[in-house]
Amino acid sequence: MIVKPRIRGFICTTAHPLGCAASVQAQVKHVKTVANPGTGPQKVLVLGASGGYGLASRIVSAFGCGASTLGVSFEKPPSEKKTATAGWYNNLAFESQAHADGMYATSIDGDAFSDEIKQQVIDTIKADLGQIDLLVYSLASPVRQHPRTGILHRSAIKPLGDDVCVQSLNVDKGLVHEVVLKPADEEETANTVSVMGGEDWEYWIDALLDAGVLAEGFKTIAYTYIGSELTWPIYWHATLGKAKEDLDRAAGTIDKSLASVNGSCQVVVLKAVVTQASSAIPVVPLYNSLLFRVMKNAGVHEDCITHISRLFFTQLYSDDQRLDEVGRIRMDDMELQADVQNEVKRLWGIVSSENINELADLEGYRSDFLKIFGFGLPGVDYKANVDHLMQS
Ligand code: NAD
């Protein structure tokens, strides 16, 4: 089949197998230039390993530190008429590259919130790795079926309190417009906390501890976003912020429960990047395209892979971590630099549909978005027929 991007709002319903492979290879290539094998983690479990920050964490663990990796994700395989999801192709590309380099890499596809997948992971660790020394919790999901009650919780990306009127961007059309976002009620907020909060992270650690598969000195991290006052109405002061506050709560509980293995648990605050999850949040595409312009001009822009490389090589295993008042590792230092934020705020005040191309890095945003699905990668012949079933 000849695979073209088919964009519906903030999602692309097709993915290019060779483009996804090229994207994984480009990230691997970057990591190999900064690699320090034998340092950092050696047996790593990544939850949410098929895209965005989770995939970058898996690539840095494997190709930067020489670690064996087990990745869990929830992706769709291809059918005769449809391509697989991008993450499905990314997993294949990651595994084939890792195996070619002589590394252990196994991917498990299924619902990480379920007890079945937790058990499958434990069985795999016992059989193949014995124990793990790092767990990266990088799930971003719109729904969670609670493993104990069976209730299906749906997250709601909404403000809290009153209606919020904000600027947003239609990325496809390049139109800046105002949107009024209705506030969440208590149930929607609680559902969002259930999906994106810390309870499932705690369940994972409890299950892994009980199974005896956590090595002495084990570490676990989960990713969060705080951002600046431009995004607070829809993020940090909104339903998602409540969920991320719950992640901070869980980190404290998990840290104590890891005492038996001399382990530790931290939340890591990352910068804004374009991923499937972040492009679904109103306001974020406009904020990101302005931010990218400013950070690129200032020479401090990072994408997923450069950002996570910096985390692993300068902070995660350092005795001199950049921590905030609640013990989170702050990787958003460059995004939140005063000169960067002041300039983004100035642009935010004057941006419109007429000047968006001039003020913002809309092209960079669009290109990052298409790359998630394997489009726009150099060296890929997009006019050629590809085996989207990946059978050859
Ligand atoms: P993403 O959409 O790129 O990746 C999400 C991953 O979760 C995928 O591998 C997907 O398969 C997996 N997943 C979803 N539901 C699952 C389930 N039920 N079972 C198993 N796997 C499942 O997301 P991302 O943007 O990389 O987000 C990862 C984390 O990073 C999130 O906690 C997010 O809040 C955080 N973060 C993101 C940004 C950003 O700008 N994107 C910034 C800071 C922090």
Side-chain angles (χ1 to χ4, degrees):
M1 130 188 329
I2 293 173
V3 184
K4 293 188 178 146
R6 207 176 299 145
I7 297 170
R8 303 268 177 277
F10 50 77
I11 186 90
C12 178
T13 59
T14 51
H16 198 284
L18 301 182
C20 289
S23 165
V24 170
Q25 276 151 18
Q27 295 185 63
V28 169
K29 193 172 165 201
H30 166 78
V31 170
K32 284 184 171 177
T33 64
V34 291
N36 200 354
T39 60
Q42 293 303 297
K43 293 178 180 177
V44 180
L45 168 62
V46 181
L47 303 173
S50 61
Y53 277 134
L55 175 61
S57 305
R58 191 177 192 190
I59 292 173
V60 175
S61 297
F63 297 96
C65 306
S68 301
T69 61
L70 180 56
V72 178
S73 55
F74 209 8
E75 299 295 339
K76 281 208 182 80
S79 62
E80 278 304 322
K81 291 204 170 127
K82 283 188 83 175
T83 69
T85 52
W88 194 87
Y89 294 129
N90 289 341
N91 286 340
L92 277 190
F94 175 88
E95 281 190 19
S96 94
Q97 184 81 42
H99 294 160
D101 283 18
M103 278 185 277
Y104 173 90
T106 293
S107 306
I108 292 179
D109 198 50
D111 181 6
F113 298 130
S114 71
D115 290 340
E116 292 72 25
I117 290 295
K118 290 185 176 73
Q119 193 54 51
Q120 202 180 324
V121 166
I122 287 168
D123 293 343
T124 309
I125 296 173
K126 281 186 176 167
D128 299 350
L129 300 169
Q131 293 187 317
I132 53 167
D133 56 11
L134 176 68
L135 184 159
V136 179
Y137 190 88
S138 187
L139 297 177
S141 172
V143 290
R144 172 182 178 220
Q145 176 150 35
H146 198 285
R148 306 207 174 150
T149 64
I151 293 172
L152 188 72
H153 297 278
R154 269 179 206 289
S155 66
I157 303 177
K158 289 187 171 185
L160 296 174
D162 298 316
D163 286 9
V164 165
C165 180
V166 278
Q167 290 195 109
S168 201
L169 170 67
N170 179 321
V171 177
D172 230 9
K173 299 189 175 127
L175 292 176
V176 178
H177 58 103
E178 289 205 327
V179 281
V180 176
L181 303 166
K182 294 274 168 209
D185 59 28
E186 271 179 34
E187 195 184 342
E188 288 172 315
T189 309
N191 279 332
T192 311
V193 172
S194 175
V195 179
M196 287 300 287
E199 187 182 56
D200 181 66
W201 190 18
E202 292 178 275
Y203 286 179
W204 267 102
I205 299 298
D206 288 348
L208 296 166
L209 263 178
D210 280 354
V213 293
L214 301 185
E216 186 72 10
F218 166 82
K219 260 183 197 291
T220 182
I221 53 172
Y223 296 145
T224 197
Y225 182 67
I226 295 180
S228 76
E229 61 208 66
L230 293 174
T231 53
W232 285 347
I234 191 60
Y235 204 96
W236 191 243
H237 291 167
T239 49
L240 284 171
K242 287 286 160 217
K244 294 301 193 183
E245 265 175 32
D246 188 64
L247 207 60
D248 290 331
R249 174 204 59 75
T253 311
I254 293 171
D255 195 58
K256 288 194 191 87
S257 73
L258 290 174
S260 58
V261 292
N262 280 317
S264 61
C265 172
Q266 283 177 301
V267 167
V268 182
V269 190
L270 299 179
K271 84 176 278 277
V273 290
V274 187
T275 64
Q276 286 196 47
S278 73
S279 43
I281 306 172
V283 179
V284 167
L286 179 60
Y287 173 78
N288 275 0
S289 46
L290 291 171
L291 178 76
F292 293 176
R293 168 55 50 87
V294 175
M295 290 187 83
K296 283 179 185 175
N297 284 352
V300 293
H301 180 72
E302 291 175 313
D303 57 13
C304 279
I305 198 71
T306 50
H307 196 54
I308 295 296
S309 297
R310 183 162 69 93
L311 166 67
F312 273 60
F313 292 124
T314 71
Q315 290 289 309
L316 199 49
Y317 289 89
S318 158
D319 295 329
D320 187 21
Q321 292 180 334
R322 189 174 41 252
L323 302 179
D324 65 15
E325 67 292 350
V326 297
R328 305 182 198 103
I329 300 179
R330 297 305 294 245
M331 292 304 298
D332 55 348
D333 51 332
M334 300 206 280
E335 174 178 346
L336 296 188
Q337 261 172 224
D339 55 342
V340 169
Q341 281 302 317
N342 288 341
E343 181 59 4
V344 177
K345 275 177 212 155
R346 187 184 73 78
L347 297 174
W348 188 266
I350 55 173
V351 69
S352 66
S353 303
E354 286 68 45
N355 60 21
I356 179 89
N357 279 307
E358 194 190 313
L359 300 190
D361 184 23
L362 189 52
E363 278 321 302
Y365 184 95
R366 283 181 177 142
S367 147
D368 283 1
F369 179 78
L370 284 171
K371 275 186 191 153
I372 298 172
F373 305 94
F375 298 105
L377 274 298
V380 178
D381 181 359
Y382 290 99
K383 294 198 187 83
N385 257 307
V386 281
D387 172 19
H388 72 289
L389 297 171
M390 299 291 276
Q391 285 167 337
S392 53

